[in-house]
Amino acid sequence: MKKYIAYLILISAVMMFLAGCNEKETQQLENLEEVLETKSEVNEGDFIYRLVTEKAEYIEGEPIKIYAELEYIGDQEKIEISHAASPFYFPIVEKTRDFQIGYPMNEPLVTTTLIKGQPLREDYKGSGGYSSEDEAEYVNFMKQIIKNEFPVGQYEVNGVADFFVIKNEETKEKKAYKIEAAIEFKVNSTK
């Protein structure tokens, strides 16, 4: 009987040791989780382009909050930029499914005046599209994206500020800018 009790004590000790090791491994794995870049800032010439998501992780169904800013930092007090309907594009890749979420835009020629030190800011308002030839899974996914209700997954926003300035008023010579930045976020299940 004493041997039986000794074996039970030994087995219990080994199980507690293994449970402790398992907990330690779980904590180590959690520490190895990918750190998501939620803000990116790029300087190019007289401009700073910022791309930001307010959180690294959202809950499914929660609105995604992303914005872009363009700030003029040159020598003049203000400058005019020319662009499509907006200078900001927000194309996204859902990395789990490898779905591309386009950012179509009307392309009239619009001019915007930037005042030195005062960023032009635009919020992401949803994007995407699909055709009758796309698979049902993609169509259902896009219907959620269009409503800014992102499904569970990991997303990368490959933002662009695309515009030009008149470099020389006499010759109307243009200088084009296409400033790119990337940020990431996850959408987790509500469960």
Side-chain angles (χ1 to χ4, degrees), residues 122-160:
E122 184 175 309
D123 294 329
Y124 171 78
K125 296 176 184 79
S127 62
Y130 56 90
S131 76
S132 60
E133 296 173 12
D134 289 324
E135 293 181 21
E137 179 187 8
Y138 183 77
V139 171
N140 291 334
F141 175 85
M142 279 300 165
K143 284 180 178 180
Q144 286 183 275
I145 296 294
I146 290 168
K147 295 187 292 186
N148 200 13
E149 296 174 358
F150 282 60
V152 171
Q154 185 165 340
Y155 297 84
E156 180 177 86
V157 182
N158 298 300
V160 178

Side-chain angles (χ1 to χ4, degrees), residues 35-86:
V35 176
L36 301 176
E37 296 295 326
T38 60
K39 181 178 182 182
S40 184
E41 183 173 291
V42 178
N43 289 33
E44 188 173 314
D46 292 337
F47 299 93
I48 299 173
Y49 171 57
R50 294 180 193 92
L51 185 61
V52 179
T53 179
E54 291 185 0
K55 297 174 13 178
E57 296 188 27
Y58 294 88
I59 301 298
E60 188 175 25
E62 177 182 8
I64 305 301
K65 300 200 185 251
I66 302 169
Y67 66 88
E69 290 183 341
L70 183 63
E71 183 176 352
Y72 173 66
I73 56 170
D75 297 333
Q76 303 171 44
E77 286 301 312
K78 60 185 177 179
I79 192 167
E80 283 190 353
I81 64 170
S82 298
H83 50 82
S86 167

Side-chain angles (χ1 to χ4, degrees), residues 85-138:
S86 167
F88 302 117
Y89 291 81
F90 298 91
I92 301 172
V93 176
E94 196 290 311
K95 294 166 80 171
T96 309
R97 298 170 189 86
D98 195 31
F99 284 164
Q100 305 290 321
I101 305 164
Y103 197 77
M105 186 182 313
N106 291 330
E107 296 188 355
L109 182 60
V110 177
T111 302
T112 301
T113 300
L114 298 180
I115 298 171
K116 184 176 181 174
Q118 295 181 13
L120 172 66
R121 179 177 167 156
E122 184 175 309
D123 294 329
Y124 171 78
K125 296 176 184 79
S127 62
Y130 56 90
S131 76
S132 60
E133 296 173 12
D134 289 324
E135 293 181 21
E137 179 187 8
Y138 183 77

